[in-house]
Amino acid sequence: MITCLIIDDEPFARDALCDQLAQHTELAVIGQCSNAIEAMQLITKLKPQLIFVDIQMPKITGLEMVAMLDPDTMPRVVFVTAYDEYAIKAFENYAFDYLLKPVDEKRLQTTIHRVKKDLAPRSLELILPKQLEHVPCYCGNRLKVINVDEVEFAFSDLSGIHVTTCLEQVHTHLTLKVLEEKTHLVRCHKQYLVAPNAISEILVQENGAEVLTHSGKRVPVSRRFLKPLKQLFGFH
């Protein structure tokens, strides 16, 4: 049984695809999402083998969302799009598959056959954004999208990954690895990333160092990362 999620901001499109997938007993739809933030939460929680992702969604597109996933654990990705067939040709070699809206049943059968035959995910690096512009976050039941430029630092602890701006602290399902690789945040500690443009001072101490942000927050700096951090500002 192949577990899958449907991610689309259009309810009718989700329901239509869900009805089509219900005809295929080898698939189990374990969830539906209307936006990328909900999708990140469910992907982390349910770990589906396959996701059907709409490309055009508000705030965070399907391509941006997939770029936020850890490539080591990401599910197979089938993009669902209203783009014309010729536009898709440029992507066909890099995504697992594409489906055009409205989804044709024979074309869907071909996709499912491919998923069953080849469960190894394919690289999407050539079509995904190299850098993220937004970070999907949550705080309790509140979901929000934060511009990467607003982030002062991010850190991890036993309760998860936390994102701090000058105004608030929220949480994200993105890993520190993804944030480090796809944003301007740099490593300053095993559990901390900091935005260089948020640094007001670097306070060197006997047992290590701290970064003081422009909003007055303190971020630990381990000895391992102190030298490269100082080099960002021209100190050796």
Side-chain angles (χ1 to χ4, degrees):
M1 184 71 71
I2 301 171
T3 56
C4 61
L5 289 180
I6 299 173
I7 305 160
D8 197 316
D9 63 306
E10 300 176 2
F12 293 115
R14 292 199 306 271
D15 291 342
L17 181 56
C18 188
D19 289 342
Q20 287 180 278
L21 294 177
Q23 306 303 313
H24 299 270
T25 56
E26 60 269 65
L27 293 183
V29 178
I30 57 176
Q32 296 186 32
C33 310
S34 62
N35 59 65
I37 300 177
E38 292 177 358
M40 295 291 296
Q41 291 177 316
L42 275 189
I43 290 170
T44 300
K45 179 181 178 181
L46 302 179
K47 297 178 173 56
Q49 296 168 287
L50 172 66
I51 57 176
F52 292 89
V53 187
D54 183 24
I55 288 181
Q56 292 180 299
M57 294 191 293
K59 292 191 176 180
I60 297 178
T61 69
L63 287 173
E64 289 176 320
M65 191 214 78
V66 173
M68 295 172 180
L69 300 176
D70 188 333
D72 294 334
T73 59
M74 68 185 295
R76 291 95 184 142
V77 178
V78 175
F79 287 114
V80 184
T81 176
Y83 292 167
D84 70 287
E85 186 174 4
Y86 298 102
I88 294 173
K89 291 294 185 182
F91 304 117
E92 283 183 339
N93 292 329
Y94 311 121
F96 191 89
D97 208 350
Y98 273 82
L99 294 172
L100 280 170
K101 293 181 179 180
V103 176
D104 177 76
E105 179 57 34
K106 289 186 178 180
R107 184 67 180 82
L108 177 59
Q109 289 178 356
T110 300
T111 295
I112 293 173
H113 178 73
R114 290 186 62 198
V115 173
K116 290 169 58 180
K117 185 177 179 180
D118 181 10
L119 292 179
R122 296 188 177 185
S123 174
L124 298 174
E125 292 181 358
L126 294 180
I127 64 170
L128 298 181
K130 300 299 183 184
Q131 292 289 302
L132 302 181
E133 297 181 2
H134 305 95
V135 179
C137 298
Y138 64 94
C139 186
N141 293 325
R142 182 168 58 97
L143 305 177
K144 70 181 303 180
V145 178
I146 292 180
N147 191 299
V148 169
D149 292 335
E150 297 176 19
V151 177
E152 286 198 335
F153 63 94
F155 68 98
S156 66
D157 60 21
L158 292 177
S159 63
I161 308 298
H162 314 286
V163 174
T164 303
T165 70
C166 64
L167 299 176
E168 63 182 335
Q169 180 176 294
V170 290
H171 322 288
T172 184
H173 288 288
L174 300 189
T175 63
L176 288 184
K177 176 184 175 182
V178 168
L179 288 171
E180 183 178 16
E181 292 179 350
K182 297 193 175 183
T183 72
H184 63 290
L185 301 179
V186 297
R187 184 77 61 169
C188 63
H189 185 278
K190 182 179 179 180
Q191 294 175 263
Y192 282 80
L193 303 174
V194 66
N197 59 3
I199 297 176
S200 174
E201 298 179 53
I202 300 177
L203 309 174
V204 181
Q205 304 163 339
E206 290 186 4
N207 298 322
E210 284 185 328
V211 157
L212 184 67
T213 71
H214 289 295
S215 65
K217 299 178 180 65
R218 293 177 179 267
V219 182
V221 178
S222 62
R223 290 188 178 276
R224 175 184 174 187
F225 299 104
L226 178 57
K227 182 176 180 179
L229 192 63
K230 290 169 65 177
Q231 288 176 339
L232 286 176
F233 297 90
F235 296 102
H236 300 280

